[in-house]
Amino acid sequence: GTVARAAPPPIAGADTVAMTTATRTVVESGSETNGQAATAQAYLDGHVVYVTLVTDPGSAHPPLDAGFVDDLLTRSVAALRG
């Protein structure tokens, strides 16, 4: 798949970057499984906070939206800061 830059969540005092990609897995029988991955990172105070979401197209549960990554990154940075 192709990796594309995405708009990262703004976090005061941290440099942030986000990326997305579409994935395709081909198995021996020739069938294909398509999925998606989203990642976001925050760099601050000598730490890196990294969140990755991989969508499983075969899951019985509904997929999480891309806002989940931004929210979890923002909350994780807040937790790191105390």
Side-chain angles (χ1 to χ4, degrees):
T2 301
V3 176
R5 293 190 77 167
I11 300 175
D15 293 324
T16 57
V17 64
M19 295 171 278
T20 62
T21 190
T23 62
R24 178 176 302 179
T25 303
V26 179
V27 295
E28 290 178 15
S29 65
S31 61
E32 296 180 359
T33 302
N34 296 311
Q36 293 184 329
T39 183
Q41 302 89 43
Y43 302 89
L44 69 153
D45 305 326
H47 297 280
V48 178
V49 180
Y50 197 95
V51 176
T52 301
L53 172 65
V54 178
T55 301
D56 177 5
S59 175
H61 302 287
L64 301 170
D65 64 26
F68 178 84
V69 172
D70 293 351
D71 184 53
L72 184 56
L73 184 70
T74 301
R75 290 175 184 238
S76 298
V77 169
L80 179 64
R81 289 178 169 164

